[in-house]
Amino acid sequence: MARWIGRLNEGSLLRRTLMYIGTFVLGSLTFVAVMSLVLVSVARAVLPPRNVDGSAAETTDEADQEATAGTSKSALGKTSRSKRPRIPSQAERESAPSAPSAD
């Protein structure tokens, strides 16, 4: 094995450079292929399977119903805060009927 590795270092500079570039390209392609397979398998494990027969709409309806049923508490078990009252914009104030003054 050591003799084979030593022979790879022999030869012209062009041959060695091309060998290093080829090794880098093969290593990069291998890395990209392995990472793609890992990411696809993780995504398939995390995401629910796709339903082809149209029952996906039923699944989303059920998820919407569960989400609306659980709006009283957040994920941490705390009740949601009420929103602050919105201050009307200048255009809304001008278009709103003016209140009668108490003279």
Side-chain angles (χ1 to χ4, degrees):
M1 181 76 173
R3 292 173 100 182
W4 186 73
I5 292 174
R7 290 186 65 197
L8 289 177
N9 247 351
E10 296 174 358
S12 68
L13 180 61
L14 178 62
R15 181 180 290 172
R16 286 184 287 166
T17 305
L18 289 176
M19 186 194 62
Y20 294 143
I21 291 172
T23 305
F24 177 75
V25 168
L26 285 175
S28 299
L29 289 175
T30 304
F31 176 77
V32 168
V34 168
M35 290 308 294
S36 296
L37 289 173
V38 167
L39 290 176
V40 166
S41 56
V42 166
R44 284 185 179 168
V46 171
L47 297 176
R50 187 179 355 166
N51 296 331
V52 180
D53 59 353
S55 61
E58 297 171 2
T59 307
T60 57
D61 291 341
E62 292 173 1
D64 289 341
Q65 290 174 355
E66 290 175 4
T68 56
T71 55
S72 62
K73 293 195 174 204
S74 66
L76 296 176
K78 297 179 181 177
T79 57
S80 61
R81 291 179 162 181
S82 61
K83 294 184 178 180
R84 295 187 319 191
R86 189 176 62 91
I87 300 172
S89 66
Q90 182 69 25
E92 290 175 344
R93 282 186 254 155
E94 291 174 357
S95 66
S98 59
S101 60
D103 286 323

Coordinates of all heavy atoms in Angstrom, one line a residue:
M1 N 0.8 -1.2 0.0 CA 0.0 0.0 0.0 C 0.9 1.2 0.0 O 0.6 2.2 -0.7 CB -0.9 0.0 1.2 CG -1.9 1.1 1.3 SD -3.2 0.9 0.1 CE -4.2 2.2 0.5
A2 N 1.9 1.2 0.8 CA 2.8 2.4 0.9 C 3.5 2.6 -0.5 O 3.7 3.8 -0.9 CB 3.8 2.2 2.0
R3 N 3.8 1.5 -1.2 CA 4.5 1.7 -2.5 C 3.5 2.3 -3.5 O 3.9 3.1 -4.3 CB 4.9 0.3 -3.0 CG 6.1 -0.3 -2.2 CD 6.3 -1.7 -2.6 NE 7.5 -1.7 -3.5 CZ 8.0 -2.7 -4.1 NH1 7.3 -3.9 -4.0 NH2 9.0 -2.7 -4.9
W4 N 2.2 1.9 -3.4 CA 1.2 2.4 -4.3 C 1.0 3.9 -4.1 O 0.9 4.7 -5.0 CB -0.1 1.7 -4.1 CG -1.1 2.1 -5.1 CD1 -1.2 1.8 -6.4 CD2 -2.3 2.9 -4.8 NE1 -2.3 2.3 -7.0 CE2 -3.0 3.0 -6.1 CE3 -2.8 3.5 -3.7 CZ2 -4.2 3.7 -6.2 CZ3 -4.0 4.2 -3.8 CH2 -4.7 4.3 -5.0
I5 N 1.0 4.4 -2.8 CA 0.8 5.8 -2.5 C 2.1 6.5 -2.9 O 2.0 7.6 -3.4 CB 0.5 6.0 -1.0 CG1 -0.9 5.4 -0.6 CG2 0.6 7.4 -0.6 CD1 -1.2 5.4 0.8
G6 N 3.2 6.0 -2.7 CA 4.5 6.6 -3.2 C 4.5 6.8 -4.7 O 5.0 7.8 -5.2
R7 N 4.0 5.8 -5.4 CA 3.9 5.9 -6.9 C 3.0 7.0 -7.4 O 3.2 7.6 -8.4 CB 3.5 4.6 -7.5 CG 4.6 3.5 -7.3 CD 4.3 2.3 -8.0 NE 4.3 2.5 -9.5 CZ 3.7 1.7 -10.4 NH1 3.1 0.7 -10.0 NH2 3.7 2.0 -11.6
L8 N 2.0 7.3 -6.6 CA 1.0 8.4 -7.0 C 1.7 9.7 -6.9 O 1.3 10.6 -7.7 CB -0.2 8.4 -6.0 CG -1.1 7.2 -6.2 CD1 -2.3 7.4 -5.2 CD2 -1.7 7.2 -7.6
N9 N 2.7 9.9 -6.1 CA 3.5 11.1 -6.0 C 4.5 11.3 -7.1 O 5.0 12.4 -7.3 CB 4.1 11.3 -4.7 CG 3.5 12.3 -3.8 OD1 2.7 13.1 -4.3 ND2 3.9 12.4 -2.6
E10 N 4.8 10.2 -7.8 CA 5.7 10.3 -8.9 C 5.1 10.9 -10.2 O 3.8 10.9 -10.3 CB 6.4 9.0 -9.2 CG 7.2 8.4 -8.1 CD 7.6 7.0 -8.3 OE1 7.3 6.5 -9.4 OE2 8.3 6.5 -7.5
G11 N 5.8 11.3 -11.1 CA 5.3 11.7 -12.4 C 5.3 13.2 -12.5 O 5.8 14.0 -11.7
S12 N 4.8 13.7 -13.6 CA 4.9 15.2 -13.9 C 3.9 15.9 -13.0 O 3.0 15.4 -12.4 CB 4.5 15.4 -15.4 OG 3.2 15.1 -15.6
L13 N 4.2 17.2 -12.9 CA 3.3 18.1 -12.1 C 1.9 18.1 -12.7 O 0.9 18.1 -11.9 CB 3.9 19.5 -12.1 CG 3.1 20.6 -11.3 CD1 3.1 20.2 -9.9 CD2 3.8 21.9 -11.5
L14 N 1.7 18.1 -14.0 CA 0.4 18.1 -14.6 C -0.4 16.8 -14.2 O -1.5 16.9 -13.8 CB 0.5 18.1 -16.1 CG -0.8 18.1 -16.9 CD1 -1.7 19.3 -16.5 CD2 -0.5 18.0 -18.4
R15 N 0.3 15.6 -14.2 CA -0.4 14.4 -13.9 C -0.8 14.4 -12.4 O -1.9 14.0 -12.1 CB 0.6 13.2 -14.1 CG -0.1 11.9 -13.8 CD 0.8 10.7 -14.1 NE 1.0 10.6 -15.5 CZ 1.9 9.8 -16.1 NH1 2.7 9.1 -15.3 NH2 2.0 9.8 -17.4
R16 N 0.1 14.9 -11.5 CA -0.3 14.9 -10.1 C -1.5 15.9 -9.9 O -2.4 15.6 -9.1 CB 0.9 15.3 -9.3 CG 1.9 14.2 -9.1 CD 3.0 14.6 -8.2 NE 3.9 15.6 -8.9 CZ 4.8 16.4 -8.4 NH1 4.9 16.3 -7.1 NH2 5.5 17.2 -9.1
T17 N -1.4 17.1 -10.6 CA -2.5 18.1 -10.4 C -3.8 17.5 -10.9 O -4.8 17.7 -10.2 CB -2.1 19.4 -11.2 OG1 -0.9 19.8 -10.7 CG2 -3.2 20.4 -10.9
L18 N -3.8 16.9 -12.0 CA -5.0 16.3 -12.5 C -5.6 15.2 -11.6 O -6.8 15.0 -11.4 CB -4.8 15.7 -13.9 CG -4.6 16.8 -15.0 CD1 -4.3 16.1 -16.4 CD2 -5.9 17.7 -15.1
M19 N -4.7 14.4 -11.0 CA -5.1 13.4 -10.1 C -5.7 14.0 -8.8 O -6.7 13.6 -8.4 CB -3.9 12.5 -9.7 CG -4.3 11.3 -8.8 SD -3.0 10.5 -8.0 CE -2.3 11.8 -7.0
Y20 N -5.1 15.1 -8.3 CA -5.7 15.8 -7.2 C -7.0 16.4 -7.5 O -8.0 16.3 -6.7 CB -4.7 16.9 -6.6 CG -3.4 16.3 -6.1 CD1 -2.3 17.0 -6.3 CD2 -3.4 15.1 -5.4 CE1 -1.1 16.6 -5.8 CE2 -2.2 14.7 -4.9 CZ -1.0 15.4 -5.1 OH 0.2 14.9 -4.6
I21 N -7.2 17.0 -8.7 CA -8.5 17.6 -9.0 C -9.5 16.5 -9.2 O -10.7 16.6 -8.7 CB -8.3 18.4 -10.3 CG1 -7.5 19.6 -10.1 CG2 -9.7 18.8 -10.9 CD1 -7.1 20.4 -11.3
G22 N -9.1 15.4 -9.8 CA -10.1 14.3 -10.0 C -10.5 13.7 -8.6 O -11.7 13.4 -8.4
T23 N -9.6 13.6 -7.7 CA -9.9 13.1 -6.4 C -10.8 14.0 -5.7 O -11.8 13.6 -5.0 CB -8.6 12.9 -5.6 OG1 -7.7 12.0 -6.3 CG2 -8.9 12.3 -4.2
F24 N -10.6 15.3 -5.8 CA -11.4 16.3 -5.2 C -12.8 16.3 -5.7 O -13.8 16.3 -5.0 CB -10.8 17.7 -5.3 CG -11.7 18.8 -4.8 CD1 -11.8 19.0 -3.4 CD2 -12.4 19.6 -5.6 CE1 -12.6 20.0 -2.9 CE2 -13.2 20.6 -5.1 CZ -13.3 20.8 -3.8
V25 N -12.9 16.2 -7.1 CA -14.3 16.1 -7.7 C -15.0 14.9 -7.3 O -16.2 14.9 -6.9 CB -14.1 16.2 -9.2 CG1 -15.4 15.9 -10.0 CG2 -13.6 17.6 -9.7
L26 N -14.4 13.7 -7.3 CA -15.0 12.5 -6.9 C -15.5 12.6 -5.4 O -16.6 12.1 -5.1 CB -14.1 11.3 -7.1 CG -14.0 10.8 -8.6 CD1 -13.0 9.7 -8.6 CD2 -15.3 10.4 -9.1
G27 N -14.6 13.1 -4.6 CA -15.0 13.2 -3.2 C -16.1 14.2 -3.0 O -17.0 13.9 -2.2
S28 N -16.1 15.3 -3.7 CA -17.2 16.2 -3.6 C -18.6 15.6 -4.1 O -19.6 15.8 -3.4 CB -16.9 17.5 -4.4 OG -15.8 18.1 -4.0
L29 N -18.5 14.9 -5.2 CA -19.7 14.3 -5.7 C -20.3 13.2 -4.7 O -21.5 13.1 -4.5 CB -19.5 13.7 -7.1 CG -19.3 14.6 -8.2 CD1 -18.9 13.9 -9.5 CD2 -20.5 15.5 -8.4
T30 N -19.3 12.5 -4.1 CA -19.7 11.5 -3.1 C -20.4 12.1 -1.9 O -21.4 11.7 -1.4 CB -18.5 10.7 -2.7 OG1 -17.9 10.1 -3.9 CG2 -18.9 9.6 -1.7
F31 N -19.8 13.2 -1.5 CA -20.3 14.0 -0.3 C -21.7 14.5 -0.6 O -22.7 14.3 0.2 CB -19.4 15.1 0.1 CG -19.9 15.9 1.2 CD1 -19.9 15.5 2.5 CD2 -20.5 17.2 0.9 CE1 -20.4 16.3 3.5 CE2 -21.0 18.0 1.9 CZ -20.9 17.5 3.3
V32 N -21.9 15.1 -1.8 CA -23.2 15.6 -2.2 C -24.2 14.5 -2.3 O -25.4 14.7 -1.8 CB -23.1 16.4 -3.5 CG1 -24.5 16.8 -4.0 CG2 -22.3 17.7 -3.2
A33 N -23.9 13.4 -2.8 CA -24.8 12.3 -3.0 C -25.2 11.7 -1.6 O -26.4 11.5 -1.4 CB -24.2 11.2 -3.8
V34 N -24.3 11.6 -0.7 CA -24.6 11.0 0.6 C -25.5 12.0 1.4 O -26.5 11.6 2.0 CB -23.3 10.7 1.4 CG1 -23.6 10.4 2.9 CG2 -22.6 9.5 0.8
M35 N -25.1 13.3 1.3 CA -25.9 14.3 2.0 C -27.4 14.4 1.5 O -28.3 14.6 2.2 CB -25.3 15.7 2.0 CG -24.0 15.7 2.9 SD -24.2 15.2 4.6 CE -25.4 16.4 5.2
S36 N -27.5 14.3 0.1 CA -28.8 14.3 -0.5 C -29.7 13.1 0.0 O -30.8 13.3 0.4 CB -28.7 14.2 -2.0 OG -28.1 15.4 -2.5
L37 N -29.1 11.9 0.0 CA -29.8 10.8 0.5 C -30.2 10.9 2.0 O -31.3 10.6 2.4 CB -29.0 9.5 0.4 CG -28.8 9.0 -1.1 CD1 -27.8 7.9 -1.1 CD2 -30.1 8.6 -1.7
V38 N -29.3 11.5 2.8 CA -29.6 11.7 4.2 C -30.8 12.7 4.4 O -31.7 12.5 5.1 CB -28.4 12.1 5.0 CG1 -28.7 12.6 6.4 CG2 -27.4 11.0 5.1
L39 N -30.7 13.8 3.7 CA -31.7 14.8 3.8 C -33.1 14.3 3.3 O -34.1 14.6 3.9 CB -31.3 16.1 3.1 CG -30.1 16.9 3.7 CD1 -29.7 18.1 2.8 CD2 -30.5 17.3 5.1
V40 N -33.1 13.6 2.2 CA -34.3 13.1 1.7 C -35.0 12.1 2.6 O -36.2 12.1 2.9 CB -34.1 12.5 0.3 CG1 -35.3 11.6 -0.2 CG2 -33.9 13.6 -0.7
S41 N -34.1 11.2 3.2 CA -34.7 10.2 4.1 C -35.2 10.9 5.4 O -36.2 10.5 6.0 CB -33.7 9.1 4.4 OG -32.5 9.7 4.9
V42 N -34.5 11.9 5.9 CA -35.0 12.6 7.1 C -36.3 13.4 6.8 O -37.2 13.4 7.6 CB -33.9 13.6 7.6 CG1 -34.4 14.6 8.6 CG2 -32.7 12.9 8.2
A43 N -36.4 14.0 5.6 CA -37.6 14.7 5.2 C -38.8 13.7 5.1 O -39.9 14.0 5.5 CB -37.4 15.4 3.9
R44 N -38.5 12.5 4.5 CA -39.6 11.6 4.4 C -40.0 11.1 5.8 O -41.2 10.7 6.0 CB -39.1 10.4 3.6 CG -39.1 10.7 2.1 CD -38.8 9.5 1.3 NE -38.8 9.8 -0.1 CZ -38.4 9.1 -1.1 NH1 -37.8 7.9 -0.8 NH2 -38.4 9.4 -2.3
A45 N -39.1 11.0 6.7 CA -39.4 10.5 8.1 C -40.2 11.6 8.8 O -41.1 11.2 9.6 CB -38.2 10.1 8.8
V46 N -39.9 12.8 8.6 CA -40.5 13.9 9.4 C -41.9 14.3 8.8 O -42.9 14.5 9.5 CB -39.6 15.1 9.4 CG1 -40.3 16.3 10.0 CG2 -38.4 14.8 10.2
L47 N -42.0 14.4 7.5 CA -43.2 14.8 6.8 C -44.2 13.7 6.7 O -43.8 12.5 6.6 CB -43.0 15.4 5.4 CG -42.1 16.6 5.4 CD1 -41.8 17.0 3.9 CD2 -42.8 17.8 6.1
P48 N -45.5 14.0 6.8 CA -46.5 12.9 6.7 C -46.6 12.4 5.2 O -46.2 13.2 4.3 CB -47.8 13.6 7.1 CG -47.6 15.0 6.9 CD -46.1 15.3 7.1
P49 N -47.0 11.2 5.0 CA -47.1 10.7 3.7 C -48.2 11.4 2.9 O -49.2 11.9 3.4 CB -47.5 9.2 3.8 CG -48.0 9.1 5.2 CD -47.4 10.2 6.0
R50 N -47.9 11.6 1.6 CA -48.8 12.3 0.7 C -50.0 11.3 0.3 O -49.7 10.2 -0.1 CB -48.1 12.8 -0.5 CG -49.0 13.6 -1.4 CD -48.4 14.2 -2.6 NE -47.0 14.0 -2.8 CZ -46.4 14.2 -4.0 NH1 -47.1 14.6 -5.0 NH2 -45.2 14.0 -4.2
N51 N -51.2 11.8 0.5 CA -52.4 11.0 0.1 C -52.8 11.4 -1.3 O -53.1 12.5 -1.6 CB -53.5 11.3 1.1 CG -53.2 10.8 2.5 OD1 -52.4 9.9 2.6 ND2 -53.8 11.5 3.4
V52 N -52.9 10.4 -2.2 CA -53.1 10.7 -3.6 C -54.6 10.8 -3.9 O -55.1 11.5 -4.7 CB -52.5 9.6 -4.5 CG1 -52.8 9.8 -5.9 CG2 -51.0 9.6 -4.2
D53 N -55.4 10.1 -3.1 CA -56.9 9.9 -3.4 C -57.7 11.1 -2.9 O -58.9 11.1 -3.0 CB -57.4 8.6 -2.7 CG -57.2 8.6 -1.2 OD1 -56.5 9.5 -0.7 OD2 -57.7 7.7 -0.6
G54 N -57.1 12.2 -2.5 CA -57.9 13.4 -2.2 C -58.2 13.5 -0.7 O -58.9 14.4 -0.3
S55 N -57.8 12.6 0.1 CA -58.0 12.6 1.5 C -57.1 13.6 2.2 O -57.2 13.8 3.4 CB -57.9 11.3 2.2 OG -56.6 10.8 2.0
A56 N -56.2 14.3 1.5 CA -55.4 15.3 2.0 C -56.2 16.5 2.5 O -55.9 17.1 3.5 CB -54.3 15.7 1.0
A57 N -57.2 16.8 1.8 CA -58.1 17.9 2.2 C -58.8 17.6 3.5 O -59.0 18.5 4.3 CB -59.2 18.1 1.1
E58 N -59.2 16.3 3.7 CA -59.8 15.9 5.0 C -58.8 16.1 6.1 O -59.1 16.5 7.2 CB -60.3 14.5 4.9 CG -61.4 14.3 3.9 CD -61.7 12.8 3.7 OE1 -61.0 12.0 4.4 OE2 -62.5 12.5 2.8
T59 N -57.5 15.7 5.8 CA -56.5 15.8 6.8 C -56.3 17.3 7.2 O -56.1 17.6 8.4 CB -55.2 15.2 6.3 OG1 -55.4 13.9 5.9 CG2 -54.1 15.2 7.4
T60 N -56.2 18.2 6.3 CA -56.0 19.6 6.6 C -57.3 20.1 7.3 O -57.1 21.0 8.2 CB -55.8 20.4 5.3 OG1 -56.8 20.2 4.4 CG2 -54.5 20.0 4.7
D61 N -58.5 19.7 7.0 CA -59.6 20.1 7.7 C -59.6 19.7 9.2 O -59.9 20.5 10.1 CB -60.9 19.6 7.0 CG -61.2 20.2 5.7 OD1 -60.6 21.3 5.4 OD2 -62.0 19.6 4.9
E62 N -59.1 18.4 9.4 CA -59.0 18.0 10.8 C -57.9 18.8 11.5 O -58.1 19.1 12.7 CB -58.6 16.5 10.8 CG -59.7 15.6 10.3 CD -59.3 14.1 10.1 OE1 -58.1 13.9 10.4 OE2 -60.1 13.3 9.7
A63 N -56.9 19.1 10.8 CA -55.8 19.9 11.5 C -56.3 21.3 11.8 O -56.0 21.8 12.9 CB -54.6 20.0 10.6
D64 N -57.1 21.9 10.9 CA -57.7 23.2 11.2 C -58.6 23.1 12.4 O -58.6 24.1 13.2 CB -58.4 23.7 9.9 CG -57.5 24.1 8.8 OD1 -56.3 24.3 9.1 OD2 -58.0 24.2 7.7
Q65 N -59.4 22.1 12.4 CA -60.3 22.0 13.6 C -59.6 21.8 14.9 O -60.0 22.4 15.9 CB -61.3 20.8 13.4 CG -62.3 21.0 12.3 CD -63.1 19.7 12.0 OE1 -62.8 18.7 12.5 NE2 -64.1 19.8 11.1
E66 N -58.5 21.0 14.9 CA -57.7 20.9 16.1 C -57.0 22.2 16.4 O -56.9 22.5 17.6 CB -56.6 19.8 15.9 CG -57.2 18.4 15.8 CD -56.1 17.4 15.5 OE1 -55.0 17.8 15.4 OE2 -56.5 16.2 15.3
A67 N -56.6 23.0 15.5 CA -56.0 24.2 15.7 C -56.9 25.2 16.3 O -56.6 26.0 17.3 CB -55.3 24.8 14.5
T68 N -58.2 25.3 15.8 CA -59.1 26.2 16.4 C -59.6 25.8 17.8 O -59.9 26.6 18.6 CB -60.3 26.3 15.4 OG1 -60.9 25.1 15.2 CG2 -59.9 27.0 14.1
A69 N -59.6 24.5 18.0 CA -60.0 24.0 19.3 C -59.0 24.3 20.4 O -59.3 24.5 21.5 CB -60.3 22.5 19.3
G70 N -57.7 24.4 20.0 CA -56.6 24.6 20.9 C -56.1 26.0 21.0 O -55.0 26.3 21.4
T71 N -57.0 27.0 20.5 CA -56.5 28.4 20.5 C -56.5 29.0 21.8 O -55.9 30.1 22.0 CB -57.4 29.2 19.5 OG1 -58.7 29.1 19.9 CG2 -57.1 28.8 18.1
S72 N -57.2 28.4 22.8 CA -57.3 29.0 24.1 C -55.9 29.0 24.9 O -55.6 29.8 25.7 CB -58.4 28.4 25.0 OG -58.1 27.0 25.2
K73 N -55.1 28.0 24.5 CA -53.8 27.9 25.2 C -52.7 27.7 24.1 O -53.0 27.1 23.1 CB -53.8 26.7 26.1 CG -54.7 26.9 27.3 CD -54.4 25.9 28.4 CE -55.2 26.2 29.6 NZ -54.6 25.7 30.8
S74 N -51.6 28.2 24.4 CA -50.5 28.1 23.4 C -49.7 26.8 23.7 O -50.1 26.0 24.6 CB -49.6 29.3 23.5 OG -48.9 29.3 24.8
A75 N -48.6 26.6 23.0 CA -47.9 25.4 23.1 C -47.3 25.2 24.5 O -47.0 24.1 25.0 CB -46.8 25.3 22.1
L76 N -47.0 26.3 25.2 CA -46.4 26.3 26.5 C -47.4 26.2 27.6 O -47.0 26.2 28.8 CB -45.4 27.5 26.7 CG -44.3 27.6 25.7 CD1 -43.5 28.9 26.0 CD2 -43.3 26.4 25.9
G77 N -48.6 26.2 27.3 CA -49.7 26.1 28.3 C -50.1 27.4 28.9 O -50.9 27.5 29.8
K78 N -49.6 28.5 28.3 CA -50.0 29.8 28.8 C -51.2 30.3 27.9 O -51.4 30.0 26.8 CB -48.9 30.8 28.6 CG -47.7 30.5 29.4 CD -46.6 31.5 29.2 CE -45.3 31.1 30.0 NZ -44.3 32.1 29.7
T79 N -52.1 31.1 28.6 CA -53.2 31.7 27.8 C -52.7 32.8 27.0 O -51.7 33.5 27.3 CB -54.3 32.2 28.8 OG1 -53.7 33.1 29.6 CG2 -54.9 31.0 29.6
S80 N -53.3 33.0 25.8 CA -52.8 34.0 24.9 C -53.2 35.4 25.4 O -54.2 35.6 26.1 CB -53.4 33.8 23.5 OG -54.8 33.9 23.6
R81 N -52.4 36.4 25.1 CA -52.7 37.7 25.6 C -53.7 38.3 24.7 O -53.8 38.0 23.5 CB -51.4 38.6 25.5 CG -50.4 38.2 26.4 CD -49.2 39.2 26.1 NE -48.3 39.2 27.2 CZ -47.2 40.0 27.3 NH1 -46.9 40.7 26.2 NH2 -46.4 40.0 28.3
S82 N -54.5 39.2 25.3 CA -55.4 40.0 24.4 C -54.7 41.1 23.7 O -53.7 41.6 24.2 CB -56.6 40.6 25.3 OG -56.0 41.5 26.2
K83 N -55.1 41.4 22.5 CA -54.5 42.4 21.7 C -54.8 43.8 22.3 O -55.9 44.0 22.8 CB -54.9 42.3 20.3 CG -54.4 41.0 19.6 CD -54.8 41.1 18.2 CE -54.3 39.8 17.5 NZ -54.6 39.8 16.1
R84 N -53.8 44.7 22.1 CA -54.1 46.1 22.5 C -55.1 46.7 21.5 O -55.1 46.3 20.4 CB -52.8 46.9 22.4 CG -51.7 46.4 23.4 CD -50.6 47.3 23.4 NE -50.2 47.8 22.1 CZ -49.1 48.4 21.8 NH1 -48.2 48.7 22.7 NH2 -48.8 48.8 20.5
P85 N -55.9 47.6 22.0 CA -56.8 48.3 21.1 C -56.0 49.1 20.1 O -55.0 49.7 20.3 CB -57.6 49.2 22.0 CG -56.8 49.3 23.3 CD -55.9 48.1 23.4
R86 N -56.6 49.0 18.9 CA -55.9 49.7 17.7 C -56.3 51.1 17.7 O -57.5 51.5 17.8 CB -56.3 49.0 16.4 CG -55.6 49.4 15.2 CD -56.0 48.6 14.0 NE -57.4 48.8 13.7 CZ -57.9 49.7 12.9 NH1 -57.1 50.6 12.3 NH2 -59.2 49.8 12.6
I87 N -55.3 52.0 17.5 CA -55.5 53.4 17.4 C -56.0 53.7 16.0 O -55.3 53.3 15.0 CB -54.3 54.2 17.7 CG1 -53.8 53.9 19.2 CG2 -54.5 55.7 17.5 CD1 -52.5 54.4 19.5
P88 N -57.1 54.4 15.8 CA -57.6 54.6 14.4 C -56.6 55.6 13.7 O -56.0 56.5 14.3 CB -59.0 55.3 14.6 CG -59.0 55.7 16.1 CD -58.0 54.9 16.8
S89 N -56.5 55.3 12.4 CA -55.6 56.2 11.6 C -56.3 57.5 11.4 O -57.5 57.8 11.7 CB -55.4 55.5 10.3 OG -56.6 55.4 9.5
Q90 N -55.5 58.5 10.8 CA -56.0 59.8 10.6 C -57.2 59.8 9.6 O -58.2 60.5 9.8 CB -54.9 60.7 10.0 CG -55.3 62.1 9.8 CD -55.5 62.9 11.1 OE1 -55.0 62.5 12.1 NE2 -56.3 63.9 11.0
A91 N -57.2 58.9 8.6 CA -58.3 58.9 7.6 C -59.5 58.3 8.3 O -60.6 58.8 8.0 CB -57.9 58.0 6.5
E92 N -59.4 57.4 9.2 CA -60.6 56.8 9.9 C -61.2 57.8 10.8 O -62.4 57.9 11.0 CB -60.2 55.5 10.7 CG -59.9 54.4 9.8 CD -59.4 53.2 10.6 OE1 -59.0 53.3 11.8 OE2 -59.4 52.1 10.0
R93 N -60.3 58.6 11.5 CA -60.8 59.7 12.4 C -61.6 60.7 11.6 O -62.6 61.2 12.1 CB -59.7 60.3 13.2 CG -59.2 59.4 14.3 CD -58.2 60.1 15.1 NE -56.9 59.5 14.8 CZ -55.7 60.0 14.9 NH1 -55.6 61.3 15.4 NH2 -54.6 59.4 14.6
E94 N -61.1 61.1 10.5 CA -61.8 62.1 9.7 C -63.1 61.6 9.1 O -64.1 62.4 9.0 CB -60.9 62.6 8.6 CG -59.7 63.4 9.1 CD -58.7 63.8 8.0 OE1 -58.9 63.3 6.8 OE2 -57.7 64.4 8.3
S95 N -63.1 60.4 8.7 CA -64.4 59.8 8.1 C -65.4 59.4 9.1 O -66.6 59.3 8.8 CB -64.0 58.7 7.2 OG -63.5 57.6 8.0
A96 N -65.0 59.2 10.3 CA -65.9 58.8 11.4 C -66.9 60.0 11.7 O -66.4 61.2 11.8 CB -65.2 58.4 12.6
P97 N -68.1 59.7 12.0 CA -69.0 60.8 12.4 C -68.6 61.4 13.7 O -68.2 60.7 14.6 CB -70.4 60.2 12.5 CG -70.1 58.7 12.6 CD -68.8 58.4 12.0
S98 N -68.6 62.7 13.8 CA -68.2 63.3 15.0 C -69.3 63.2 16.1 O -70.5 63.3 15.8 CB -67.9 64.8 14.8 OG -69.0 65.5 14.3
A99 N -68.9 63.0 17.3 CA -69.8 62.9 18.4 C -70.3 64.2 18.8 O -69.7 65.2 18.7 CB -69.1 62.2 19.6
P100 N -71.6 64.3 19.1 CA -72.2 65.6 19.5 C -71.5 66.1 20.8 O -71.2 65.3 21.7 CB -73.7 65.3 19.8 CG -73.8 63.8 20.0 CD -72.6 63.2 19.2
S101 N -71.3 67.3 20.8 CA -70.6 67.9 22.0 C -71.6 68.2 23.1 O -72.8 68.4 22.8 CB -69.9 69.2 21.6 OG -70.8 70.1 21.1
A102 N -71.1 68.1 24.3 CA -72.0 68.3 25.5 C -71.9 69.7 25.9 O -71.4 70.0 26.9 CB -71.6 67.3 26.6
D103 N -72.5 70.6 25.1 CA -72.4 72.1 25.5 C -73.6 72.4 26.4 O -74.6 72.1 26.5 CB -72.5 72.9 24.3 CG -71.2 72.9 23.5 OD1 -70.2 72.9 24.1 OD2 -71.3 73.0 22.2

